[in-house]
Amino acid sequence: MSTPVRSPDAGPLLGDFGGGPFGIYVHVPFCATRCGYCDFNTYTAGELGTAASPASWLEALRGELAAAATAFDALPSATPEVATVFVGGGTPSLLGGDGLAEVLAAVRQNFTLAPGAEVTTESNPESTGPAFFERLRAAGFTRISLGMQSAAAHVLAVLDRTHTPGRAVAAALEARAAGFDHVNLDLIYGTPGETDADLDASLEAVLAAEVDHVSAYSLIVEDGTALARRVRRGELPAPDEDVLATRYERIDTRLRGAGLEWYEVSNWAGGDAARCRHNLGYWDGGDWLGAGPGAHSHLGGVRWWNVKHPARYADRVAAGGLPAAGWEALSASERHTERVMLAVRLRTGLPLADLDAHGRAAVPGVVTGGLAEVRGERLVLTDRGRLLADGVVRDLLA
């Protein structure tokens, strides 16, 4: 790891670029309503009042991107072209097509996008439509990720999702009609009250949408959320681990049968081109700039994170420099831990050379237990091992 240097504004320490693909993540902190299971850094209009708005956020974002470009100019290595851009949140589609086009224009004003760059935005199905997708395609977006969660109305109600069950499929078809070859649908499984039939209906809807990527996540009850409070009061049961495992197997079987293969434990794609290159950058230990309130960045083993509240974020940007709330230079041990945790989850597996002595000694037990296989010089999870990936990581690191 190169010696970290302090950003010109005496802000966070910055590592140098590592030589791999470089991505930019933009965090949009706005939501129309707060979902009961969500613990992301998001705010409704009622929570913000007059303290912040999409207009003030966009002005601050432009300032942060300019400050980051200036800070990167002081690093030993030249700033690489941007291989991927991912606009997430929150609900980026609340900005509308024109607003998201301005976001991408701000990125382009300060950084150079690589030829064929992947440019993704998340969207809530209810705040999209044909004109929205056409505007994004014209602006240069190449990939759409839609929050579907479920096709069952009662499951959406438990999650406090506001879109109607069929809207996600309709939105995916509209995106395809607008010229997007790469469209993702997100699913959440294991919600209290969800049945096997509900999940099957969701999977049928996903396949009817003809998307080339699916992300499926088990419901996690995060502390401090409305869902956690309902579970604590006994209004809803906590997700059952055995049920989650059987649901995951059900998802995997159906998606693989339709030609969508897993490439990360929670992600399936219809071929290499359909894989989310931005997320692969995270999982492969790449470098990225995270812009927006609460966003995290990583360069060469140095990580920093922005102040969370949109109003304080804007104030920090206006004062000059990067709006970091904190930063850290990862130790060799911390970098090793992260590498194992992330690479094990990938279909390509973990290079055995990346393991320390303890990890190498643990490999025979993991293989004998049927959780992984050694393929060439890599350790790759079996189907059973994907269900117990966290346990495999503990074995390799303990």
Side-chain angles (χ1 to χ4, degrees):
M1 183 175 69
S2 60
T3 301
V5 299
R6 193 167 292 283
S7 59
D9 60 307
L13 295 175
L14 305 177
D16 197 12
F17 293 99
F22 171 57
I24 293 179
Y25 171 77
V26 176
H27 185 70
V28 181
F30 308 109
C31 280
T33 60
R34 180 172 297 281
C35 297
Y37 62 92
C38 180
D39 70 339
F40 294 166
N41 186 43
T42 62
Y43 305 84
T44 65
E47 291 169 336
L48 287 173
T50 60
S53 67
S56 65
W57 167 84
L58 182 57
E59 180 180 358
L61 176 70
R62 292 191 182 103
E64 183 187 4
L65 291 170
T70 298
F72 292 172
D73 284 343
L75 298 177
S77 301
T79 304
E81 293 180 329
V82 178
T84 62
V85 177
F86 195 105
V87 185
T91 310
S93 49
L94 288 179
L95 301 177
D98 289 342
L100 284 167
E102 289 189 60
V103 169
L104 185 53
V107 172
R108 284 197 174 110
Q109 184 176 353
N110 293 283
F111 296 90
T112 301
L113 265 62
E118 176 192 87
V119 183
T120 304
T121 185
E122 294 179 334
S123 298
N124 185 318
E126 290 293 341
S127 51
T128 65
F132 171 83
F133 292 120
E134 289 166 6
R135 180 69 180 95
L136 293 187
R137 196 75 187 95
F141 284 82
T142 66
R143 187 172 180 276
I144 298 294
S145 182
L146 292 159
M148 176 179 171
Q149 319 317 346
S150 175
H154 70 97
V155 173
L156 293 176
V158 171
L159 297 173
D160 294 322
R161 296 290 294 185
T162 59
H163 63 270
T164 54
R167 178 57 203 151
V169 171
L173 294 172
E174 290 165 1
R176 293 293 303 276
F180 284 96
D181 293 326
H182 304 306
V183 180
N184 170 67
L185 283 172
D186 280 347
L187 290 177
I188 290 179
Y189 61 93
T191 301
E194 179 191 61
T195 65
D196 286 346
D198 292 330
L199 180 60
D200 289 344
S202 296
L203 291 169
E204 290 304 316
V206 164
L207 297 178
E210 301 179 351
V211 297
D212 67 345
H213 192 286
V214 176
S215 299
Y217 305 103
S218 64
L219 180 66
I220 297 175
V221 181
E222 300 284 2
D223 289 341
T225 62
L227 180 62
R229 291 189 291 273
R230 294 184 69 187
V231 170
R232 189 168 58 249
R233 291 193 298 262
E235 298 173 13
L236 294 171
D240 182 278
E241 292 297 327
D242 291 336
V243 171
L244 293 177
T246 58
R247 295 270 163 81
Y248 179 88
E249 292 174 328
R250 203 176 191 96
I251 291 167
D252 185 55
T253 298
R254 188 69 184 90
L255 294 181
R256 293 172 81 171
L260 295 167
E261 292 292 336
W262 79 280
Y263 69 100
E264 192 273 343
V265 167
S266 298
N267 290 271
W268 291 257
D272 290 352
R275 298 176 179 181
C276 180
R277 287 157 47 196
H278 186 83
N279 285 343
L280 281 168
Y282 297 149
W283 299 325
D284 285 333
D287 294 324
W288 70 90
L289 168 68
H296 287 231
S297 301
H298 174 270
L299 287 183
V302 178
R303 184 163 50 209
W304 69 96
W305 48 94
N306 288 347
V307 294
K308 294 179 107 175
H309 195 278
R312 289 193 290 275
Y313 163 77
D315 289 343
R316 288 288 297 275
V317 173
L322 296 173
W327 49 89
E328 61 182 345
L330 300 177
S331 67
S333 175
E334 290 169 331
R335 296 185 76 181
H336 169 71
T337 296
E338 290 196 358
R339 173 63 179 156
V340 172
M341 289 176 62
L342 296 172
V344 158
R345 295 178 61 87
L346 295 172
R347 188 185 185 95
T348 51
L350 171 69
L352 295 173
D354 287 351
L355 290 170
D356 58 15
H358 171 85
R360 289 192 293 274
V363 167
V366 171
V367 172
T368 301
L371 302 179
E373 300 173 347
V374 175
R375 299 180 186 172
E377 298 301 318
R378 290 176 175 268
L379 186 70
V380 180
L381 293 177
T382 61
D383 288 348
R384 180 168 177 266
R386 281 190 283 154
L387 296 172
L388 301 168
D390 291 344
V392 174
V393 169
R394 286 193 296 271
D395 289 343
L396 296 175
L397 294 175

